[in-house]
mmCIF file of all heavy atoms in Angstrom:
data_model
loop_
_atom_site.group_PDB
_atom_site.id
_atom_site.type_symbol
_atom_site.label_atom_id
_atom_site.label_comp_id
_atom_site.label_asym_id
_atom_site.label_seq_id
_atom_site.Cartn_x
_atom_site.Cartn_y
_atom_site.Cartn_z
ATOM 1 N N GLU A 1175 -26.292 24.271 9.748
ATOM 2 C CA GLU A 1175 -26.126 25.617 9.199
ATOM 3 C C GLU A 1175 -26.722 25.715 7.798
ATOM 4 O O GLU A 1175 -27.228 26.762 7.403
ATOM 5 C CB GLU A 1175 -24.646 25.998 9.175
ATOM 6 C CG GLU A 1175 -24.407 27.463 8.878
ATOM 7 C CD GLU A 1175 -22.948 27.859 9.039
ATOM 8 O OE1 GLU A 1175 -22.155 27.056 9.591
ATOM 9 O OE2 GLU A 1175 -22.585 28.982 8.618
ATOM 10 N N LEU A 1176 -26.608 24.651 7.017
ATOM 11 C CA LEU A 1176 -27.244 24.599 5.689
ATOM 12 C C LEU A 1176 -28.304 23.500 5.707
ATOM 13 O O LEU A 1176 -28.291 22.577 4.888
ATOM 14 C CB LEU A 1176 -26.204 24.326 4.600
ATOM 15 C CG LEU A 1176 -25.095 25.368 4.395
ATOM 16 C CD1 LEU A 1176 -24.198 24.956 3.239
ATOM 17 C CD2 LEU A 1176 -25.660 26.750 4.148
ATOM 18 N N SER A 1177 -29.235 23.616 6.653
ATOM 19 C CA SER A 1177 -30.241 22.562 6.830
ATOM 20 C C SER A 1177 -31.204 22.479 5.651
ATOM 21 O O SER A 1177 -31.795 21.425 5.397
ATOM 22 C CB SER A 1177 -31.023 22.789 8.121
ATOM 23 O OG SER A 1177 -31.598 24.089 8.119
ATOM 24 N N ASN A 1178 -31.367 23.581 4.916
ATOM 25 C CA ASN A 1178 -32.287 23.594 3.778
ATOM 26 C C ASN A 1178 -31.597 23.252 2.452
ATOM 27 O O ASN A 1178 -32.195 23.432 1.381
ATOM 28 C CB ASN A 1178 -32.963 24.965 3.659
ATOM 29 C CG ASN A 1178 -33.843 25.261 4.857
ATOM 30 O OD1 ASN A 1178 -34.474 24.363 5.412
ATOM 31 N ND2 ASN A 1178 -33.874 26.522 5.283
ATOM 32 N N TYR A 1179 -30.340 22.805 2.541
ATOM 33 C CA TYR A 1179 -29.597 22.476 1.322
ATOM 34 C C TYR A 1179 -30.267 21.319 0.596
ATOM 35 O O TYR A 1179 -30.681 20.328 1.201
ATOM 36 C CB TYR A 1179 -28.152 22.116 1.661
ATOM 37 C CG TYR A 1179 -27.348 21.620 0.483
ATOM 38 C CD1 TYR A 1179 -26.797 22.514 -0.435
ATOM 39 C CD2 TYR A 1179 -27.149 20.251 0.267
ATOM 40 C CE1 TYR A 1179 -26.065 22.060 -1.525
ATOM 41 C CE2 TYR A 1179 -26.420 19.798 -0.810
ATOM 42 C CZ TYR A 1179 -25.884 20.701 -1.708
ATOM 43 O OH TYR A 1179 -25.164 20.246 -2.791
ATOM 44 N N GLN A 1180 -30.395 21.454 -0.710
ATOM 45 C CA GLN A 1180 -30.997 20.409 -1.537
ATOM 46 C C GLN A 1180 -29.936 19.802 -2.455
ATOM 47 O O GLN A 1180 -29.184 20.529 -3.119
ATOM 48 C CB GLN A 1180 -32.131 20.987 -2.395
ATOM 49 C CG GLN A 1180 -33.339 21.438 -1.586
ATOM 50 C CD GLN A 1180 -34.450 21.960 -2.482
ATOM 51 O OE1 GLN A 1180 -34.280 22.072 -3.696
ATOM 52 N NE2 GLN A 1180 -35.581 22.279 -1.889
ATOM 53 N N PHE A 1181 -29.893 18.481 -2.474
ATOM 54 C CA PHE A 1181 -28.967 17.796 -3.378
ATOM 55 C C PHE A 1181 -29.445 17.962 -4.815
ATOM 56 O O PHE A 1181 -30.648 18.062 -5.070
ATOM 57 C CB PHE A 1181 -28.883 16.310 -3.012
ATOM 58 C CG PHE A 1181 -28.111 16.035 -1.760
ATOM 59 C CD1 PHE A 1181 -28.741 15.915 -0.538
ATOM 60 C CD2 PHE A 1181 -26.729 15.924 -1.808
ATOM 61 C CE1 PHE A 1181 -28.028 15.670 0.614
ATOM 62 C CE2 PHE A 1181 -25.995 15.670 -0.661
ATOM 63 C CZ PHE A 1181 -26.641 15.545 0.557
ATOM 64 N N PRO A 1182 -28.521 18.006 -5.762
ATOM 65 C CA PRO A 1182 -28.924 18.181 -7.171
ATOM 66 C C PRO A 1182 -29.791 17.020 -7.643
ATOM 67 O O PRO A 1182 -29.501 15.855 -7.328
ATOM 68 C CB PRO A 1182 -27.588 18.231 -7.927
ATOM 69 C CG PRO A 1182 -26.577 17.670 -7.000
ATOM 70 C CD PRO A 1182 -27.058 17.930 -5.620
ATOM 71 N N PRO A 1183 -30.875 17.307 -8.373
ATOM 72 C CA PRO A 1183 -31.751 16.229 -8.867
ATOM 73 C C PRO A 1183 -31.155 15.521 -10.072
ATOM 74 O O PRO A 1183 -30.249 16.038 -10.746
ATOM 75 C CB PRO A 1183 -33.033 16.976 -9.245
ATOM 76 C CG PRO A 1183 -32.573 18.353 -9.591
ATOM 77 C CD PRO A 1183 -31.381 18.640 -8.727
ATOM 78 N N LEU A 1184 -31.682 14.333 -10.372
ATOM 79 C CA LEU A 1184 -31.194 13.540 -11.505
ATOM 80 C C LEU A 1184 -31.495 14.197 -12.847
ATOM 81 O O LEU A 1184 -30.812 13.929 -13.834
ATOM 82 C CB LEU A 1184 -31.820 12.141 -11.471
ATOM 83 C CG LEU A 1184 -31.233 11.145 -10.471
ATOM 84 C CD1 LEU A 1184 -32.070 9.876 -10.456
ATOM 85 C CD2 LEU A 1184 -29.785 10.821 -10.790
ATOM 86 N N ASP A 1185 -32.508 15.076 -12.871
ATOM 87 C CA ASP A 1185 -32.889 15.708 -14.137
ATOM 88 C C ASP A 1185 -31.782 16.572 -14.719
ATOM 89 O O ASP A 1185 -31.800 16.887 -15.920
ATOM 90 C CB ASP A 1185 -34.146 16.573 -13.923
ATOM 91 C CG ASP A 1185 -35.335 15.717 -13.514
ATOM 92 O OD1 ASP A 1185 -35.293 14.510 -13.810
ATOM 93 O OD2 ASP A 1185 -36.266 16.250 -12.894
ATOM 94 N N LEU A 1186 -30.818 16.993 -13.879
ATOM 95 C CA LEU A 1186 -29.714 17.820 -14.379
ATOM 96 C C LEU A 1186 -28.754 17.016 -15.248
ATOM 97 O O LEU A 1186 -27.964 17.591 -15.997
ATOM 98 C CB LEU A 1186 -28.950 18.433 -13.200
ATOM 99 C CG LEU A 1186 -29.764 19.352 -12.270
ATOM 100 C CD1 LEU A 1186 -28.911 19.803 -11.093
ATOM 101 C CD2 LEU A 1186 -30.284 20.559 -13.036
ATOM 102 N N LEU A 1187 -28.795 15.706 -15.121
ATOM 103 C CA LEU A 1187 -27.925 14.841 -15.918
ATOM 104 C C LEU A 1187 -28.657 14.375 -17.170
ATOM 105 O O LEU A 1187 -29.863 14.104 -17.141
ATOM 106 C CB LEU A 1187 -27.480 13.634 -15.094
ATOM 107 C CG LEU A 1187 -26.598 13.952 -13.880
ATOM 108 C CD1 LEU A 1187 -26.434 12.725 -13.002
ATOM 109 C CD2 LEU A 1187 -25.241 14.486 -14.312
ATOM 110 N N LYS A 1188 -27.897 14.260 -18.233
ATOM 111 C CA LYS A 1188 -28.490 13.944 -19.533
ATOM 112 C C LYS A 1188 -28.824 12.458 -19.636
ATOM 113 O O LYS A 1188 -28.058 11.602 -19.194
ATOM 114 C CB LYS A 1188 -27.515 14.343 -20.649
ATOM 115 C CG LYS A 1188 -28.093 14.220 -22.042
ATOM 116 C CD LYS A 1188 -27.083 14.713 -23.081
ATOM 117 C CE LYS A 1188 -27.620 14.563 -24.491
ATOM 118 N NZ LYS A 1188 -26.648 15.019 -25.509
ATOM 119 N N LYS A 1189 -29.990 12.196 -20.240
ATOM 120 C CA LYS A 1189 -30.394 10.818 -20.490
ATOM 121 C C LYS A 1189 -30.240 10.531 -21.977
ATOM 122 O O LYS A 1189 -30.850 11.192 -22.808
ATOM 123 C CB LYS A 1189 -31.847 10.612 -20.055
ATOM 124 C CG LYS A 1189 -32.296 9.160 -20.132
ATOM 125 C CD LYS A 1189 -33.691 8.986 -19.572
ATOM 126 C CE LYS A 1189 -34.103 7.519 -19.580
ATOM 127 N NZ LYS A 1189 -35.458 7.327 -19.039
ATOM 128 N N TYR A 1190 -29.400 9.582 -22.308
ATOM 129 C CA TYR A 1190 -29.112 9.262 -23.711
ATOM 130 C C TYR A 1190 -30.072 8.177 -24.213
ATOM 131 O O TYR A 1190 -30.497 7.299 -23.452
ATOM 132 C CB TYR A 1190 -27.664 8.778 -23.860
ATOM 133 C CG TYR A 1190 -26.645 9.843 -23.571
ATOM 134 C CD1 TYR A 1190 -26.195 10.062 -22.274
ATOM 135 C CD2 TYR A 1190 -26.140 10.649 -24.581
ATOM 136 C CE1 TYR A 1190 -25.259 11.050 -21.992
ATOM 137 C CE2 TYR A 1190 -25.204 11.638 -24.312
ATOM 138 C CZ TYR A 1190 -24.772 11.830 -23.022
ATOM 139 O OH TYR A 1190 -23.846 12.810 -22.747
ATOM 140 N N GLU A 1191 -30.366 8.280 -25.486
ATOM 141 C CA GLU A 1191 -31.227 7.271 -26.109
ATOM 142 C C GLU A 1191 -30.433 5.989 -26.352
ATOM 143 O O GLU A 1191 -29.260 6.020 -26.711
ATOM 144 C CB GLU A 1191 -31.783 7.793 -27.439
ATOM 145 C CG GLU A 1191 -32.748 8.969 -27.284
ATOM 146 C CD GLU A 1191 -33.301 9.428 -28.613
ATOM 147 O OE1 GLU A 1191 -32.957 8.793 -29.627
ATOM 148 O OE2 GLU A 1191 -34.051 10.411 -28.630
#
Side-chain angles (χ1 to χ4, degrees):
E1175 191 172 348
L1176 297 182
S1177 56
N1178 296 325
Y1179 174 80
Q1180 292 182 355
F1181 286 94
L1184 282 173
D1185 296 338
L1186 299 176
L1187 295 169
K1188 187 177 178 181
K1189 187 175 183 180
Y1190 294 87
E1191 293 182 2

